[in-house]
Amino acid sequence: MSAEVSSNRILKLMGNRFEFTVISDTKESGAKAIDTAIAEIQRIEELLSTFKDTSQTNYINENAGIKPVQVDEEVIHLIQRSLKISELTQGAFDITYGSIDKSLWNFDLNMTSLPSSETALKSVSLINYQNVLVDPDNSTVMLKHAGMRIGFGGIGKGYAADRAMFVLKNLGIQSGIVNAAGDLITWGTQLNGTPWTIGIADPDQSTRPFSSLNISNTAIATSGNYEKYATINGKRYSHTIDPKTGLPVSGIKSVSILGPSAELADAMATPVVVMGVRVGLDLINQLKQVACIIIDDFDRMYTSKNINVKR
């Protein structure tokens, strides 16, 4: 029997850096399997990307306030799961964030003040997941008000990573990692039989791990403000906007969510940043098979009940 080999590929997909690592019988079979996984992610990007005029997401957005549009069952199901997470997080996660006024938020060094609370509120007036009307029987979606927009930025990379894993497993790949810009899913073990190990980035030096975790057959996603933020009057504001107020959130530098799927981990990371340490941990502690690690603005680390982190 031939020894197994590890194959790796990095490329840009869905506007993000994707990395595939697979363990296979031969280099050729590994490369072919990765090709198939890439094709699957490109297919999802065609469906979901707001940057592609022909995507079903754009079709839904163009008809906001006008009429229901027919989309693939896959898109219906993803929207339904997104709306469930909105309910679970009391709106801290919301796919209708696409209508936010981008001109209000340019997280760069020139941003020296926050907009008034009235201006901010107005900018999020169209954000409300309850105004996404899904008719699964007819496979249609309608956004209730003109100007509403949906986007899958908070869940799409995780969904794509899960689908890539599904495709790879179907091709007989029993061990691998799909890393979608930090939202990653692992299965099986490394070549030497040990679990996959990943580092949690230090929020102040994203190249240096803050801690490491052994994770196999688990997904992890991290949301943080260590790469994009504004400091106003000495206070650090995240590029994450609270959909209820329209203002950036502060208090948390990074949240890492571990769970059974990359989609769920991806979708839960940002709402925990919005909810804050206490409420966020309380929510995660109520969910089965989901754990989290939070690092606050003062570098204090908090973990959910069911996790041990070595530092």
Side-chain angles (χ1 to χ4, degrees):
M1 189 181 147
S2 61
E4 289 186 312
V5 290
S6 176
S7 307
N8 181 273
R9 200 174 317 164
I10 297 169
L11 71 162
K12 198 172 179 184
L13 293 162
M14 300 176 83
N16 289 281
R17 179 185 186 272
F18 271 70
E19 181 171 3
F20 301 85
T21 305
V22 302
I23 291 172
S24 57
D25 295 334
T26 65
K27 278 279 182 201
E28 292 75 27
S29 64
K32 259 177 110 165
I34 291 173
D35 286 343
T36 311
I38 289 167
E40 173 66 357
I41 291 172
Q42 287 167 334
R43 183 190 69 78
I44 290 166
E45 186 174 7
E46 288 294 330
L47 272 184
L48 302 183
S49 173
T50 48
F51 298 105
K52 293 191 180 290
D53 294 342
T54 52
S55 76
Q56 295 196 0
T57 308
N58 273 339
Y59 185 39
I60 293 167
N61 291 342
E62 279 162 15
N63 288 283
I66 302 167
K67 62 173 187 186
V69 299
Q70 200 156 31
V71 294
D72 290 5
E73 203 176 348
E74 179 180 5
V75 177
I76 294 279
H77 290 161
L78 183 61
I79 291 172
Q80 286 178 313
R81 294 196 300 276
S82 299
L83 299 179
K84 275 205 176 102
I85 291 167
S86 295
E87 280 169 24
L88 186 67
T89 60
Q90 294 168 337
F93 173 88
D94 197 320
I95 54 168
T96 64
Y97 73 87
S99 57
I100 198 160
D101 183 355
K102 295 283 192 298
S103 61
L104 216 54
W105 302 115
N106 52 337
F107 279 91
D108 58 18
L109 299 172
N110 307 325
M111 190 170 155
T112 53
S113 65
L114 292 176
S116 70
S117 51
E118 291 80 16
T119 308
L121 257 181
K122 203 172 153 201
S123 86
V124 292
S125 61
L126 287 167
I127 298 180
N128 186 345
Y129 69 94
Q130 290 167 326
N131 292 328
V132 181
L133 312 175
V134 181
D135 178 352
D137 295 335
N138 294 306
S139 205
T140 65
V141 182
M142 180 174 176
L143 306 180
K144 206 168 167 182
H145 303 297
M148 275 181 76
R149 287 178 65 78
I150 58 167
F152 295 101
I155 195 170
K157 291 200 310 292
Y159 174 60
D162 287 342
R163 286 292 314 162
M165 177 188 76
F166 177 77
V167 162
L168 289 166
K169 276 182 157 178
N170 268 357
L171 292 168
I173 302 292
Q174 289 173 5
S175 297
I177 298 181
V178 178
N179 183 347
D183 299 344
L184 60 95
I185 187 145
T186 64
W187 69 103
T189 54
Q190 298 183 63
L191 265 182
N192 62 8
T194 58
W196 297 106
T197 303
I198 63 124
I200 305 277
D202 181 329
D204 294 320
Q205 298 164 276
S206 54
T207 52
R208 185 173 76 100
F210 195 73
S211 59
S212 67
L213 292 166
N214 286 340
I215 59 159
S216 277
N217 307 312
T218 305
I220 184 164
T222 299
S223 179
N225 70 1
Y226 45 90
E227 275 151 3
K228 261 165 104 186
Y229 60 89
T231 306
I232 297 165
N233 300 330
K235 191 173 180 180
R236 181 173 169 139
Y237 290 93
S238 155
H239 70 281
T240 304
I241 305 295
D242 183 336
K244 291 194 179 72
T245 62
L247 292 167
V249 293
S250 61
I252 289 180
K253 270 187 190 171
S254 97
V255 169
S256 293
I257 303 277
L258 291 95
S261 76
E263 178 188 303
L264 182 64
D266 186 8
M268 290 304 295
T270 302
V272 171
V273 175
V274 173
M275 293 162 110
V277 175
R278 196 178 55 80
V279 179
L281 278 178
D282 190 46
L283 173 63
I284 297 298
N285 281 329
Q286 292 172 52
L287 301 178
K288 286 186 179 75
Q289 295 180 290
V290 181
C292 79
I293 302 160
I294 300 176
I295 298 165
D296 75 3
D297 280 348
F298 302 101
D299 288 330
R300 291 178 297 217
M301 185 163 80
Y302 303 82
T303 60
S304 55
K305 287 175 183 159
N306 50 354
I307 190 172
N308 287 311
V309 180
K310 294 179 179 59
R311 281 184 69 181

